[in-house]
Structure formats: C-alpha cells, structure tokens
Amino acid sequence: MSKTEQQHSSSLTAQVNRHSHLMATTTSQEIIPREVLFGNPKYASPKISPDGTYLSYLGPNKEGVLNVFVRPTVDENNDNARMVTKDMSRGIRQYSWAPDSETILYLQDFEGDENFHLWAIDATNSDDTVVAKDLTPGENVKASNLITNKRFPDQILVGTNERNPACFDMYRVQYKTGEKVLDTENPGDVLGWGSEDFSFEVREALVKNQEDSSSTVRVRDGTDTEWRDLATFPYGEDGNLVEFCADDGETCLMTSSVGRETSALLKVDLKTGETLDIISANDKCDVGGIVLDDDTKEVKAISYNYARTERVFFNKDFEEDYEVLKSLGPDNCEVGTASKTRDEKTWIVAYTRSDGPTEYVIYDQEKKQTRPLFVSKPDLLDYKFSPMEDVRVQARDGLELVGYVTRADTEKKTPLILLVHGGPWARDYWGFNAQAQWFANRGYATLQMNYRGSTGYGKNFLHKGDGQWGVGTMQHDLTDSVQWAIDKGIADPDNICVY
C-alpha cells in the first residue's frame, strides 16, 4: 500500500470511528443553551372550557412572565390567543375555568409573600380595561381548597384564613359578583375540606392530631347534622376520603394503607367506617390517580407508578380511548389527560416523553381522532436529547430500589452525577428532566434513585428511612446505586459527584 493510500485509509478509519462515537453519544453535539433547557415553556397547562368554546394555556408575555392566554377553539391559530391576565412579577402557575365557561379563576400572591389570593377575570371580554376581581381580599389572607361544581355553575367553595390566621374556614362565593359568605367554620384542627358533589355541601374534614400525628377523616350527613369520625389513620399510615358515592349517603370511596403495606382504594360504609370492598391495590406501590364517572361516581381507571405510569381500567370504553391515544402518540411516551369538556367529548391529551418536550393534542372522543395543539417548549425540537431509562438496583440488604439513568454515551463509561431528590419524603419520576439533559449534553451521565424514605412505595419503604437521613441505610442505598452504575459500565469510578 502506498503512503497516499495509507493516509487515505487512516483518514477513513478516523471518520468511521468519529461517526461511531457520534452515534453513541445521546444528545446533540453542540452545547444546548441553558435558557432552552430551563426557560419558561411557551405553552403550559392547557385547558378547555367546560362547554368547549374556549381553549386556554399558560404562556410568557413579552417580558417572559407567565400569564393566562385564551382563544376560541374554532380558531386553531395559537398566535391569535389573547392574554387575559396581566401579571408582571412572579407569573401565574395555577388557574382553572369556572363552571360558566367564561371566567378564569387563578391564584396569585404579592411579590412572593406566599399569601395567595383567588382572582377571577372575564376571559371572553376583549376590552383591555377589564381587571381581575380579588375574591379573597385582605392583608395576609391566604386562599386554598378551591372546589367547583358543574351542578352549581354560579358558585364556588374556597378556604381562607381571614377569620383566624392559623386555620382555614370554607366560604361560598358568587364569583361573578364577589359576594362571599362563611359556609363552614374551622373548629381549629381541620387541615382540609371536601364537598358532597350532588348537594355541594361541605361534608368532609381532614383533621390532624398534633399530639400523636394521627389523621382522622370526619364526615357529616348534611349542614344541619353533627360531624362524626369516619376513619383514623395512626402515624405511619396513609389514607383519605376520595369521593362520596352516588347512593344517597350510604358509601364513599377511600384510600387506606391500614392493614396492608401499600395504600389501596376501598369502598367504605359511611355510617360505620367498615370496608365493604377492596376495589384495587398494588403490592409494590401506592394507589395513584383515580378517574371517576362524574355522574355515577363509578371508578373508570386507577393509575400506579412503580417506575412508569400503569393503569388498571374498570370501564371498557375508557380503556379503548387510552388504547387509541397510545396508538396515535409517539413511541415510548406516557399518555395523560390534561382537560376535558363537560360532556367529555373533547379532551386535551398530553404525550410525555423523556427525550423531548410534552406534546399536546385535541382528541375527538366520538371520532377517535386527534389533531395537534402545540408542544410545551418548541425550541427543544431543534436538539437531540437522551432517553431516560428506568432501572432496578438491589441494595446490600436485598431491598429493590427504582431509579432512572440518563446517559451521555451508550458505548463507554462517562463521569456520573448522582442527582439526589429532596424531601426526603418525595420521589423522582420518569420523564424529561432538564438538569439530567443539561448534564448529558455536557458529557455526564445522571443517576436518580428513589432510596428508602422515598414516597409512593408503601409505608414500610417510607419509614425504613426514619433516622437514616444522610447516614446508615439511606446513604448505603445511594452508595450501592453508584456501585451498580460502575459495574454496568455506565460510570467512570474516578469521576463521580453528588449534586
């Protein structure tokens, strides 16, 4: 072989090797700007009005502050959406449609003081002089526990601490006029309230015992009857009332971990507190999202999340809808419902991916068809991202741990960042993680572990972390997980850090 041929062969080999490495790296070769990864989404929290006339979403104004935008659903050009709120400071994060399909309700505080008030604004009035109405006025007043009801379209229930800063009473508000009356007074120990759907009366109270840390669910049969204890959950147990059944006050749906490792969905006698039926349970993780028929209160589906979202269906038509949606969505995504019309004929569906932005579509439930709405962060579409893998790691004492790996390279070991979730009574989930993608793009693999003490895996798993924060078995879980990543050829043992 001539010298020229040798040089050409060496050059070709170098190109092949470089191409092979490019295929092995998991993200774009160029540095992805931080503002692309961590900036506000262009579209977030889309909702359709109950009558289907309007579509809304959160988006940034010209100064980058999140506000509520609204457009008619018949106008499919998102650029024609009108900004109906005028926040110029912290941005709006929580909002909803009122039952009248004309009013937007949203929570906002004052320059970060965390005293969130409930505001209402007419979303259909294009007059720029329209201002939002403060439904919970007062200095140092905080609003919470908002409840709406399609059967009572002119009123809402909302909790505030205006009478007593230490606890929240429930008020009944005519949100179009601002008229507000005290509905249910807090005796001093209630943390949260719930209503019975058909009467729209406050009939549930969740109470915390400060002496033994137990929780008790109280109920009443009507506003003119006495409260009674329905169920008590000692410290270490988990449970709550989900919904009153549509049977004239005979039964309710509750979650409970009493007598079992993980929380289950139960049907309970409202008079005695006796469990009549165990509707659904999973031995590995707690019950998650529960979808009910809004009229019959029958269970349609229950979700669980051990590592990824899984659903158990109780309604064949509802299951068929999710099968259709799954078939129409991107590969390896999770399907979720962001919003529905009152008649449930039109849905806003979210397709969540780990290697790209969330994609929203509008689903015609009768035709079983979708049409694109928007993606949460369009700028992400210009880049390649690393898929997140859910993994299982066995700790040194045999306990199985769920974790998530975002690789920087699929064919060689790289530096590793152990990204530890806070809490510790919290957990990590599968999905697009901006921090993990930031690291992967810069050449670092990321490992996120749901160590003992994380939530969602039952009471024993949660309380195995007691007294172990930063030491002992909780710390061993993290150490063992890093060793697993080394053994799997993911992590360079000489380049590992905790973030």
Side-chain angles (χ1 to χ4, degrees):
M1 182 182 294
S2 69
K3 185 176 181 180
T4 300
E5 290 174 329
Q6 289 176 338
Q7 289 174 339
H8 177 73
S9 176
S10 298
S11 176
L12 181 60
T13 300
Q15 290 179 34
V16 169
N17 289 339
R18 180 176 179 275
H19 178 70
S20 175
H21 178 65
L22 289 178
M23 294 296 290
T25 55
T26 59
T27 71
S28 297
Q29 291 302 297
E30 67 269 35
I31 293 295
I32 303 173
R34 288 192 301 274
E35 56 268 25
V36 171
L37 287 166
F38 298 105
N40 278 333
K42 184 174 181 180
Y43 304 103
S45 191
K47 302 179 189 294
I48 194 163
S49 62
D51 65 1
T53 303
Y54 294 98
L55 185 138
S56 60
Y57 62 87
L58 292 177
N61 64 8
K62 293 180 180 179
E63 289 73 31
V65 180
L66 289 178
N67 276 272
V68 180
F69 289 75
V70 173
R71 67 164 171 81
T73 52
V74 295
D75 182 356
E76 298 187 5
N77 186 350
N78 294 311
D79 292 336
N80 292 335
R82 182 173 54 84
M83 189 175 78
V84 299
T85 57
K86 301 177 178 63
D87 191 274
M88 298 298 294
S89 180
R90 292 233 298 167
I92 295 168
R93 298 297 193 277
Q94 302 175 68
Y95 84 99
S96 64
W97 282 98
D100 67 352
S101 295
E102 297 177 352
T103 305
I104 290 287
L105 304 171
Y106 66 95
L107 290 170
Q108 188 55 291
D109 66 355
F110 299 88
E111 300 295 337
D113 67 358
E114 298 189 353
N115 289 319
F116 287 89
H117 285 205
L118 179 65
W119 301 80
I121 191 165
D122 185 351
T124 67
N125 193 329
S126 59
D127 188 343
D128 289 338
T129 63
V130 174
V131 296
K133 183 187 286 90
D134 188 353
L135 299 179
T136 54
E139 187 176 358
N140 297 320
V141 170
K142 182 181 291 188
S144 68
N145 216 149
L146 172 64
I147 308 175
T148 62
N149 191 313
K150 70 179 184 180
R151 298 169 182 84
F152 297 81
D154 298 324
Q155 10 178 319
I156 58 174
L157 289 167
V158 63
T160 84
N161 62 346
E162 60 188 83
R163 182 187 62 84
N164 181 347
C167 59
F168 288 78
D169 305 316
M170 287 298 278
Y171 288 81
R172 193 170 296 272
V173 180
Q174 306 292 324
Y175 57 86
K176 287 191 173 182
T177 65
E179 179 186 353
K180 174 166 60 70
V181 297
L182 179 63
D183 183 273
T184 307
E185 186 172 312
N186 196 324
D189 58 354
V190 175
L191 297 183
W193 304 94
S195 70
E196 194 278 330
D197 209 32
F198 296 97
S199 65
F200 204 31
E201 294 176 346
V202 176
R203 294 192 187 177
E204 174 209 350
L206 180 63
V207 177
K208 189 76 169 181
N209 186 316
Q210 298 299 326
E211 294 184 1
D212 62 10
S213 295
S214 64
S215 298
T216 297
V217 173
R218 291 180 188 153
V219 296
R220 60 180 176 179
D221 297 324
T223 56
D224 57 349
T225 61
E226 295 295 319
W227 291 94
R228 64 181 182 274
D229 291 352
L230 178 65
T232 295
F233 303 97
Y235 172 76
E237 301 289 353
D238 181 47
N240 207 342
L241 193 150
V242 175
E243 182 65 276
F244 294 91
C245 296
D247 56 8
D248 296 322
E250 295 296 321
T251 62
C252 68
L253 299 175
M254 296 190 71
T255 58
S256 175
S257 65
V258 176
R260 52 182 303 108
E261 168 57 23
T262 58
S263 64
L265 180 64
L266 315 175
K267 177 171 276 193
V268 174
D269 189 305
L270 267 172
K271 298 295 190 293
T272 66
E274 177 189 358
T275 296
L276 303 176
D277 186 21
I278 300 175
I279 297 172
S280 184
N282 185 302
D283 291 337
K284 285 192 169 185
C285 58
D286 295 322
V287 65
I290 301 166
V291 181
L292 304 178
D293 185 287
D294 199 36
D295 295 317
T296 67
K297 304 304 176 186
E298 293 296 321
V299 179
K300 297 173 73 171
I302 299 173
S303 65
Y304 294 93
N305 195 319
Y306 184 64
R308 298 277 300 269
T309 299
E310 301 175 2
R311 290 182 177 86
V312 178
F313 291 94
F314 297 82
N315 180 290
K316 291 297 183 183
D317 292 336
F318 196 60
E319 183 175 12
E320 180 188 353
D321 284 320
Y322 266 81
E323 289 298 324
V324 170
L325 289 168
K326 186 176 180 181
S327 70
L328 296 175
D331 293 337
N332 195 30
C333 72
E334 292 192 353
V335 182
T337 305
S339 181
K340 293 180 183 179
T341 53
R342 185 181 292 118
D343 62 10
E344 298 194 356
K345 300 302 182 185
T346 305
W347 304 10
I348 296 179
V349 174
Y351 290 118
T352 302
R353 301 163 49 193
S354 67
D355 58 351
T358 300
E359 176 184 344
Y360 294 100
V361 300
I362 296 178
Y363 177 55
D364 186 318
Q365 192 272 338
E366 293 181 310
K367 295 181 179 179
K368 309 298 184 191
Q369 297 174 349
T370 63
R371 67 179 190 272
L373 181 56
F374 42 59
V375 297
S376 57
K377 302 181 77 169
D379 288 348
L380 294 180
L381 298 174
D382 295 332
Y383 302 93
K384 175 187 172 185
F385 293 97
S386 176
M388 178 183 283
E389 307 165 42
D390 60 281
V391 298
R392 312 292 182 271
V393 175
Q394 191 172 73
R396 64 188 67 183
D397 62 357
L399 185 66
E400 183 176 86
L401 309 173
V402 173
Y404 304 96
V405 173
T406 306
R407 301 176 188 243
D409 196 294
T410 58
E411 292 186 358
K412 68 176 185 178
K413 62 185 67 174
T414 65
L416 176 75
I417 294 175
L418 181 65
L419 183 57
V420 183
H421 71 69
W425 286 5
R427 63 162 291 178
D428 280 316
Y429 293 89
W430 181 90
F432 186 88
N433 185 292
Q435 286 183 319
Q437 298 295 343
W438 180 39
F439 296 141
N441 179 242
R442 271 72 172 172
Y444 302 86
T446 301
L447 178 62
Q448 300 168 258
M449 296 303 305
N450 288 327
Y451 47 83
R452 69 192 71 201
S454 301
T455 55
Y457 297 103
K459 59 191 179 188
N460 286 332
F461 189 93
L462 179 72
H463 292 291
K464 283 179 183 291
D466 293 354
Q468 303 296 311
W469 296 10
V471 297
T473 54
M474 182 183 284
Q475 185 61 43
H476 293 162
D477 288 347
L478 298 174
T479 302
D480 295 346
S481 298
V482 169
Q483 186 59 52
W484 171 89
I486 294 172
D487 294 342
K488 290 292 184 180
I490 298 170
D492 177 356
D494 296 323
N495 287 283
I496 295 172
C497 76
V498 178
Y499 180 80

